Amino acid sequence: MSDRPAVPPILRMSGIGKSFGATQALDGVDLELGRGEVHALIGENGAGKSTMMKILSGAIVPDAGRMEIDGRPYAPSGPGDGLRGGVSMIYQELNLAPHLSVAENIMLGRETARSGWLDRPAIRRQVREVLELVRHPEISPDVPVGRLSVGAKQLVEIARALLNKSRILVMDEPTSSLTQEDSQRLFEIIRGLRGQDVGVIYISHFLEEVQSVADSYTVLRDGRSVGSGAMAGTSLDDLIQLMVGRKFTQLFPRVEHACGGPVLTLDRLKGRRMAAPVSLDLAKGEILGLAGLIGSGRTETLRALFGLDEVEGGAVVVSGAELAGRRPWARIGRGLGLLSEDRQGEGLALNLSVADNMTLSRLAPFRRRGLLRPARQRRSVAGLIDRLKIKAKGPGQPVGALSGGNQQKVALGRLLHQEASVLLLDEPTRGIDVVSKSQIYEWIGGLAREGKAILFVSSYLPELLGICDRIAVFHRGNLVESRPAAAWDAAGLMAAATVGRAPRGTPVEQRNAE
Amino acid sequence: MSRQNRSGLSRALNIFGPFIGLVLVIALFALIPEVQGRFLRMANFKSVATQSVIVALGALGMTLIIVSGGIDLSAASNIALASVITAYAVNAGAAPAWALLFGVLTGGLVGLANGALVTRLRLVPFIVTMGMMGIARGAAKWIAGNQKIDAPMTWINELMAKSPRPSWLLMAPGIWIVILFAAAMAVLLKFTVFGRHIFAVGSNEATARLCGIRTDRVKVLVYAVSGLFCGLSGVMEFSRLTVGDPTVAVGLELDIIAAVVIGGGSLNGGEGSILGTMIGVLIMSFLRNGCTMMGWPNYIQEIIIGAIIIVAVAIDRLRHRKEC
């Protein structure tokens, strides 16, 4: 007690532990946030950042560890406690009521009133004060929030947090939906907050951004804190090394396969949700990995290619013929098949049976004279259930009753049944157990050996390095670099994904020109 | 093992739940001495069935719509419009077969318009069909000059006769028509590609699109088919009333929706069956019939049916929670 500094830090989290079932999400993590400090929390997807912040906000109760705010014990039992304790979360999906005005949003739930009537002058005064504080007095308190830019909306959220007398602001990927210009403006505001009596925890995948805005950092990997310190004097490479560590396993059964001639070509394909046109080639029997951060354009490219998003330009060539129809049914007809990253929301119809889910994209083989023959359907699906080692009671069981790994196998089984020759797999192993993962890797290798072409989107670098023939990296909507998998390492991929260029300072454009 | 048993039980409940409800309702009135004698008579059963025809036809189409995740509030107005068109045609001297066809097609057109608006303008079915409810009702009143259209008697009026002309039919032709179409729709839902697509769209539209199902086309077809059934139902309404009445069937869309829901249909889509819906229709008809025989006033019937809808949906909810 005696060796504690006179002024305690705003926030001290020590020895935080949390497990979900058998998964240890956090294991003895420490984090300290000083007054006026901007502290970056860094780590790969699934490293434990969001669990950590949910514990801070009170949404999750930790299994172990203690928290102090301003030296006083802090043990929230719900998000309300977190708010009262002075913790404000600012998410990428903003928590604003678009039809209400700036002032109404800022004051929401804390309206100044005199005997039940709104005290409008007082409200306007307070709102103006707090907008001065974030250095944007030009925002009118009376404008509906829905009419503001994303950047301005974020300001409104920050203003609300300041008015709430928040001590700790948590910003979770605040720039992922911002333009470059808006991001810069946000950084200015964050730097401005250093003068105030608050601390900021800043979570972002964009390491350069983190480096320019944060004073200190903590890196999480697999639920442990693997490094922390002052940002000054820490290089990007240092951070990347900490993030990826050295964790290679024999999880990836290597199935020998050979690449043949080209089967799929994207020529400046541009979808409605894509930031930039993308060109790439895929050969028969090739597994092409697509790396990049969430929102970097990988998923958007697959969706445009499959016709789920509107195509604005460019061409798709499959086996030498340009595709005319731009809707999914036309693409399926040409041998394309897509596995959605959102298994529960899009990939599967959870209250339909395993059989229906697996065969929905190709019911024709079970039809005779216009009528379906369920017995045939069940027999065919039972074969797939065996082949993919799916643990289900039978073809008639609703798919929602299966475990995550088995659900994913059903979604993959659909592509098998569809006899797709070009498979677009979006995060096929996300959130599933290790055994199923390994089976899925083996299965993907087997498909490549059969001569299928595979686009494999993943945020998990070891699996990309483990099973792909070639890996292409997306950064902010652009496909920045593509190399054989053997020419990549985890640090290089992470650098290209977070900074937009390969390591050792070689600009990507130059590499491509060579 | 126990999990398997429970899922077997819940599946049994799924199929037999509404059926048990129907048996309970019939048993209830069969056990009350005052009405027992009249209630259990064959003639009474026939009359209940005849009274069910109009709601049943509407509910066939509504089942498709609700399974596909939609709703049709314009069903009853559409029925009224079709009955007016049929009467108008008969009155104008058209052959009864043509009049019948006009009535059915009118319903189909209204349904087609619903489907086109839902898919083209990306509007919520609730809003589109609520608007169509007013439009169809208004059109019916306009065409009928805001009064009933009298029409000469034709064979159309025998479709709903309690004692059919060729006596070997035993029941009103309308009942046979319902049975025929119910069988056809049950097969359509369970054993055709189109039926699987309807379930897929209702269960998860994004998945359906991912699987290459032309979701818009499925929806338009579903609304159009449902409209045709409303048209046929309107013809039956005309047959029963022998006049074209634009103010008939007000609020009947709620009875139709209730029948589907009592029969196991989920307003979230992806669930429902023709058999269940038909049982739902009969439950409501028998209740009305029994209450009338008991001499209970109308408002008691309304309260009972309202309560049954809530109980049916609550049981459904409970069953789903157990499964998860």
Side-chain angles (χ1 to χ4, degrees):
Chain A
M1 286 301 247
S2 57
D3 58 337
R4 189 178 286 178
V7 182
I10 285 193
L11 171 71
R12 176 180 284 147
M13 301 173 80
S14 40
I16 301 294
K18 177 75 195 176
S19 54
F20 299 103
T23 324
Q24 186 83 24
L26 288 175
D27 189 4
V29 178
D30 301 328
L31 191 149
E32 205 169 286
L33 177 67
R35 242 160 250 280
E37 185 182 84
V38 179
H39 188 97
L41 189 59
I42 309 170
E44 284 189 81
N45 297 323
K49 292 168 299 184
S50 49
T51 309
M52 191 78 176
M53 290 303 103
K54 279 179 186 158
I55 287 173
L56 176 59
S57 75
I60 294 180
V61 178
D63 301 334
R66 336 188 285 124
M67 294 188 276
E68 286 175 11
I69 291 181
D70 291 325
R72 284 189 297 275
Y74 163 72
S77 56
D81 282 359
L83 263 179
R84 278 187 289 280
V87 179
S88 277
M89 312 287 289
I90 296 171
Y91 294 104
Q92 18 184 335
E93 304 91 21
L94 299 165
N95 271 313
L96 296 169
H99 299 105
L100 300 186
S101 73
V102 169
E104 284 163 335
N105 268 290
I106 290 179
M107 301 298 291
L108 208 58
R110 284 184 305 278
E111 290 84 354
T112 317
R114 270 190 304 205
S115 49
W117 298 91
L118 286 177
D119 184 354
R120 290 187 178 276
I123 288 177
R124 288 177 69 88
R125 199 178 55 246
Q126 291 181 57
V127 168
R128 283 201 191 288
E129 274 170 23
V130 77
L131 285 174
E132 295 268 355
L133 218 57
V134 296
R135 297 176 194 177
H136 278 269
E138 84 281 0
I139 295 179
S140 160
D142 303 322
V143 173
V145 158
R147 295 235 293 271
L148 299 179
S149 70
V150 185
K153 282 181 191 158
Q154 236 147 6
L155 278 171
V156 172
E157 282 241 26
I158 294 172
R160 179 158 75 180
L162 290 180
L163 193 99
N164 192 23
K165 302 268 179 286
S166 285
R167 307 301 319 283
I168 300 157
L169 260 68
V170 180
M171 298 191 184
D172 192 353
E173 296 282 356
T175 61
S176 59
S177 50
L178 294 190
T179 63
Q180 206 73 33
E181 202 179 320
D182 280 333
S183 301
Q184 288 308 323
R185 210 176 291 161
L186 179 71
F187 299 155
E188 274 168 40
I189 293 157
I190 293 173
R191 291 190 193 104
L193 289 175
R194 282 178 179 147
Q196 322 279 339
D197 193 19
V198 297
V200 176
I201 295 178
Y202 189 91
I203 301 176
S204 176
H205 275 110
F206 299 110
L207 293 182
E208 284 183 325
E209 209 177 278
V210 163
Q211 220 181 13
S212 82
V213 78
D215 306 304
S216 55
Y217 67 88
T218 297
V219 179
L220 296 184
R221 190 207 309 150
D222 299 334
R224 289 165 201 272
S225 164
V226 291
S228 63
M231 195 56 94
T234 307
S235 72
L236 283 180
D237 276 352
D238 295 341
L239 292 177
I240 290 168
Q241 276 307 325
L242 284 172
M243 282 167 74
V244 292
R246 296 182 206 297
K247 43 165 187 183
F248 282 93
T249 59
Q250 296 309 308
L251 180 62
F252 312 105
R254 185 80 199 163
V255 181
E256 287 312 317
H257 59 272
C259 300
V263 61
L264 171 76
T265 304
L266 307 193
D267 182 17
R268 304 193 56 74
L269 178 72
K270 171 78 175 71
R272 191 172 50 81
R273 295 199 300 151
M274 288 165 69
V278 165
S279 303
L280 60 81
D281 289 294
L282 182 65
K284 217 171 164 210
E286 183 182 32
I287 307 173
L288 171 57
L290 300 182
L293 303 175
I294 290 165
S296 61
R298 304 167 304 175
T299 296
E300 292 77 2
T301 303
L302 289 197
R303 295 182 75 82
L305 168 57
F306 193 62
L308 280 168
D309 282 351
E310 213 175 297
V311 176
E312 290 175 343
V316 177
V317 179
V318 174
S319 311
E322 187 173 335
L323 296 196
R326 283 178 166 174
R327 308 308 306 170
W329 65 80
R331 299 279 148 112
I332 286 175
R334 298 300 304 273
L336 265 56
L338 183 124
L339 180 91
S340 172
E341 61 169 341
D342 182 3
R343 183 170 63 233
Q344 308 232 330
E346 178 177 52
L348 297 170
L350 293 177
N351 55 1
L352 295 190
S353 67
V354 171
D356 279 345
N357 269 290
M358 268 202 193
T359 56
L360 210 45
S361 54
R362 184 165 157 258
L363 287 166
F366 314 123
R367 191 170 52 178
R368 201 175 61 180
R369 293 195 205 99
L371 291 188
L372 281 179
R373 293 189 296 170
R376 276 198 164 204
Q377 188 189 19
R378 274 196 299 275
R379 221 176 307 137
S380 172
V381 168
L384 280 169
I385 287 177
D386 275 352
R387 192 172 149 197
L388 290 167
K389 304 189 180 82
I390 297 172
K391 290 202 185 74
K393 277 179 230 152
Q397 191 179 19
V399 81
L402 305 185
S403 75
N406 285 303
Q407 286 184 4
Q408 194 69 330
K409 288 184 192 168
V410 171
L412 287 164
R414 180 193 295 151
L415 300 186
L416 277 188
H417 172 73
Q418 197 176 307
E419 293 175 354
S421 55
V422 178
L423 288 87
L424 318 175
L425 309 179
D426 200 351
E427 301 279 7
T429 65
R430 177 191 283 169
I432 67 178
D433 59 291
V434 177
V435 179
S436 300
K437 264 188 195 177
S438 186
Q439 287 171 347
I440 287 174
Y441 298 140
E442 198 173 343
W443 175 79
I444 291 174
L447 285 175
R449 187 161 54 189
E450 287 172 25
K452 315 253 188 212
I454 294 148
L455 275 182
F456 182 79
V457 168
S458 172
S459 298
Y460 183 52
L461 301 181
E463 71 179 14
L464 284 176
L465 292 164
I467 71 161
C468 292
D469 300 307
R470 198 152 56 93
I471 302 174
V473 184
F474 279 79
H475 175 73
R476 296 203 182 238
N478 293 291
L479 201 166
V480 290
E481 177 139 12
S482 162
R483 297 184 199 165
W488 284 110
D489 57 11
L493 285 174
M494 185 57 80
T498 51
V499 189
R501 54 173 194 260
R504 288 173 297 279
T506 317
V508 169
E509 292 72 25
Q510 272 182 28
R511 279 174 180 273
N512 283 347
E514 280 167 19
Chain B
M1 274 319 268
S2 72
R3 254 187 89 172
Q4 196 153 359
N5 286 340
R6 204 171 66 190
S7 128
L9 185 79
S10 97
R11 183 169 301 174
L13 213 74
N14 208 353
I15 298 165
F16 294 115
F19 191 69
I20 292 168
L22 178 62
V23 171
L24 281 179
V25 167
I26 295 176
L28 171 76
F29 290 109
L31 290 177
I32 298 175
E34 291 102 301
V35 293
Q36 207 171 34
R38 280 176 294 152
F39 185 80
L40 278 179
R41 238 181 257 153
M42 199 59 201
N44 187 46
F45 277 42
K46 267 195 214 175
S47 111
V48 168
T50 313
Q51 281 157 13
S52 304
V53 166
I54 288 158
V55 170
L57 285 171
L60 286 179
M62 190 68 82
T63 306
L64 302 192
I65 290 185
I66 285 180
V67 169
S68 82
I71 191 89
D72 182 6
L73 298 180
S74 68
S77 299
N78 199 359
I79 289 171
L81 176 63
S83 84
V84 165
I85 294 284
T86 311
Y88 190 94
V90 170
N91 200 28
W98 281 109
L100 187 147
L101 193 67
F102 285 143
V104 173
L105 287 181
T106 304
L109 277 178
V110 171
L112 194 65
N114 278 333
L117 287 169
V118 166
T119 54
R120 298 288 150 200
L121 301 183
R122 305 253 159 246
L123 296 177
V124 197
F126 188 94
I127 301 297
V128 167
T129 59
M130 192 164 71
M132 193 57 76
M133 175 166 94
I135 294 171
R137 179 71 64 182
K141 287 180 183 168
W142 186 15
I143 291 165
N146 220 358
Q147 56 191 357
K148 295 188 173 85
I149 298 183
D150 286 315
M153 295 291 271
T154 63
W155 58 260
I156 292 184
N157 301 103
E158 283 167 30
L159 292 174
M160 292 285 275
K162 275 175 198 154
S163 28
R165 193 78 74 82
S167 55
W168 51 264
L169 271 176
L170 296 173
M171 297 185 290
I175 300 174
W176 290 111
I177 290 174
V178 168
I179 292 172
L180 207 71
F181 278 113
M185 286 302 108
V187 168
L188 177 104
L189 263 184
K190 279 230 169 83
F191 296 106
T192 68
V193 171
F194 181 52
R196 294 291 90 190
H197 287 183
I198 295 174
F199 271 99
V201 167
S203 177
N204 188 340
E205 199 176 337
T207 308
R209 211 171 294 128
L210 189 75
C211 290
I213 294 170
R214 306 180 198 202
T215 53
D216 282 358
R217 186 190 278 186
V218 169
K219 286 193 206 167
V220 169
L221 273 172
V222 160
Y223 281 97
V225 168
S226 177
L228 289 172
F229 277 116
C230 287
L232 190 55
S233 179
V235 173
M236 295 300 166
E237 187 75 88
F238 164 71
S239 163
R240 183 175 73 93
L241 295 175
T242 68
V243 294
D245 182 356
T247 61
V248 83
V250 171
L252 199 73
E253 68 276 356
L254 298 182
D255 279 17
I256 294 172
I257 293 168
V260 177
V261 170
I262 290 173
S266 159
L267 291 184
N268 293 326
E271 278 174 68
S273 72
I274 294 292
L275 183 62
T277 296
M278 290 300 107
I279 292 173
V281 170
L282 287 177
I283 286 179
M284 294 211 300
S285 295
F286 272 113
L287 266 177
R288 289 238 157 85
N289 174 260
C291 290
T292 311
M293 283 189 173
M294 290 297 294
W296 290 341
N298 230 344
Y299 52 82
I300 297 284
Q301 298 179 23
E302 283 169 14
I303 290 172
I304 290 178
I305 287 178
I308 285 201
I309 292 171
I310 294 174
V311 168
V313 176
I315 290 174
D316 202 49
R317 214 2 115 68
L318 222 62
R319 192 163 51 79
H320 276 98
R321 204 174 307 152
K322 264 194 199 149
E323 262 173 33
C324 293

